[in-house]
């Protein structure tokens, strides 16, 4: 009897996962996940080589620069690009896409000045970067913002296969440039150039795939319509932008703070952990998040009663897919990281084991948190993100005053983040219920 139960357990686990999803959703996830698997699989294969070509300090500096780009790029288009997928009509979506591209250029230049100030005033650990990083930041920011704009435009049209193939090409380019630069011993600059090259190629290909449709829709737009669309979506710059900035700062600030309080080499160890966690987060969370965003937006327009059940099914799916890999990493992380990446990265393995609950919470909640952009829940997200940032800052403040070690500091931060994700999940459920109630009061969709 026990043998039969053990044999059927994996089948039951798979059956449970299949029961949580629908065929069209599975197809979208599979197409995106396949490209992500190929792209991130290549990154995973070359990462042990990169950790032998680059020192921890190189990863630390590249990670600090990337942390700034990750945060600042969310502000480049004032978050209007997020409204592309859920816009009511193709013309509205095209208006938002073109407007996002126009806005991104001057804002990116201004944000480059922000990085210059952070470096010269030695704030938040950004003093580890050279001043020339501020000069190239506007280019990186504009490319990153354009990447998001074209990606959302293609996702709106359901071009999941194109997005998947582009992601593979992006990772091939990035890996090739980083490997070549590492052999040439150019330092952390090679890591930066690889990321910029890969993203630039992706933007060029996505623009080629989506530009004709974008322009065709835009030809039917006049100045009055342009003003109407941007006024209709004014909550994105006024509410979603501050919220996303707080969220991204909370997510990316730990690395610069680690570099500041524990040294740039420790920042490199932390950056490697982020790179390790990026594989399941991108493969599972990113692919399901893109498909979830597209499908949830469709349900909100056509069958609002199904938004909450779909949200819960997707959340359970993310947990079931993520709990196994992260539990494995928690158990064997220190040994695995040392064997794969080299002896000088042993600290990263310990950090990975400590931070797995945080990574699992992020994997489960972050992809489905896009629901706030569909059910008018931006204000809830804003409050949550503000509190989350205060938790991150408080954790490092307390750790520095108590003279905690790097491992203990990140243990405290992990515990706080787990609590935050549980609270945020409950807030998302409440926001969806309010949306459904408002929809019911407004009457049937016509």
């Amino acid at each position: 009897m026990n043998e039969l139960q053990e044999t059927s357990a994996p089948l039951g686990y798979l059956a449970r996962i299949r029961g949580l999803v629908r065929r069209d959703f599975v197809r979208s996830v599979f197409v995106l996940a396949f490209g992500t698997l190929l792209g991130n699989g290549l990154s995973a294969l070359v990462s042990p080589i990169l950790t032998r070509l680059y020192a921890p300090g190189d990863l630390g500096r590249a990670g600090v620069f990337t942390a700034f780009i990750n945060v600042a790029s969310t502000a480049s288009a004032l978050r209007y690009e997020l409204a592309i997928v859920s816009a009511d009509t193709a013309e509205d979506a095209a208006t938002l896409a073109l407007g996002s591209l126009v806005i991104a250029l001057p804002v990116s230049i201004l944000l480059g000045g922000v990085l210059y100030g952070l470096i010269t005033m030695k704030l938040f650990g950004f003093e580890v970067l050279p001043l020339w990083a501020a000069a190239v930041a506007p280019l990186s920011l504009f490319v990153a913002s354009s990447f998001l704009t074209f990606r959302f435009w293609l996702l709106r049209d359901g071009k999941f296969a194109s997005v998947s193939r582009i992601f593979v090409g992006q990772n091939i380019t990035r890996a090739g440039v980083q490997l070549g630069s590492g052999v040439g011993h150019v330092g952390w600059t090679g890591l930066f150039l690889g990321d910029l090259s890969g993203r630039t190629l992706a933007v060029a290909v996505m623009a080629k795939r989506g530009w004709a449709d974008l322009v065709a829709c835009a030809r039917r737009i006049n100045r009055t319509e342009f003003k109407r669309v941007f006024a209709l979506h004014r909550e994105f710059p006024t509410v979603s932008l501050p919220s996303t900035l707080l969220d991204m700062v909370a997510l990316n600030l730990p690395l610069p703070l680690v570099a500041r309080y524990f040294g740039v080499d420790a920042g490199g160890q932390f950056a490697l952990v982020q790179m390790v966690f990026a594989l399941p987060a991108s493969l599972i969370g990113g692919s399901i998040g893109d498909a979830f965003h597209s499908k949830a937006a469709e349900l909100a327009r056509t069958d609002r009663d199904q938004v909450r059940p779909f949200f819960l099914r997707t959340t359970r799916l993310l947990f079931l897919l993520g709990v196994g890999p992260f539990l494995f990493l928690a158990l064997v992380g220190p040994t695995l990281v040392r064997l794969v990446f080299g002896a000088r990265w042993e600290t990263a393995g310990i950090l990975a084991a400590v931070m797995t609950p945080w990574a699992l919470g992020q994997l489960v909640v972050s992809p489905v948190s896009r629901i706030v952009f569909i059910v008018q829940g931006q204000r809830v997200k804003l409050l949550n993100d503000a509190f989350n940032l205060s938790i991150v800052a408080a954790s490092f403040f307390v750790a520095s005053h108590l003279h905690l070690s790097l491992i203990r500091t990140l243990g405290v931060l992990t515990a706080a983040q787990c609590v935050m994700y549980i609270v945020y999940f409950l807030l998302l459920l409440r926001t969806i219920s309010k949306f459904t109630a408002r929809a019911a009061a407004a009457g049937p969709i016509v």
Side-chain angles (χ1 to χ4, degrees), residues 120-198:
T120 55
M121 291 187 287
K122 299 181 179 180
L123 296 175
F124 308 115
F126 286 96
E127 62 270 18
V128 302
L129 297 177
L131 282 177
W132 62 259
V136 300
L139 174 61
S140 297
L141 288 170
F142 182 72
V143 171
S145 180
S146 301
F147 176 88
L148 292 175
T149 296
F150 282 112
R151 180 180 176 88
F152 284 129
W153 175 254
L154 294 179
L155 289 175
R156 176 185 173 83
D157 286 346
K159 296 179 179 178
F160 301 109
S162 293
V163 172
S164 183
R165 288 193 294 268
I166 291 167
F167 184 79
V168 174
Q170 175 189 354
N171 278 271
I172 291 174
T173 303
R174 178 174 60 190
V177 173
Q178 289 179 343
L179 287 172
S181 300
V183 172
H185 302 290
V186 299
W188 77 274
T189 307
L191 297 170
F192 150 71
L193 288 176
D195 185 69
L196 178 62
S197 299

Side-chain angles (χ1 to χ4, degrees), residues 354-355 406-416:
V354 170
M355 294 167 56
L406 173 63
I407 295 171
R408 290 182 181 273
T409 298
L410 291 177
V412 170
L413 186 57
T414 295

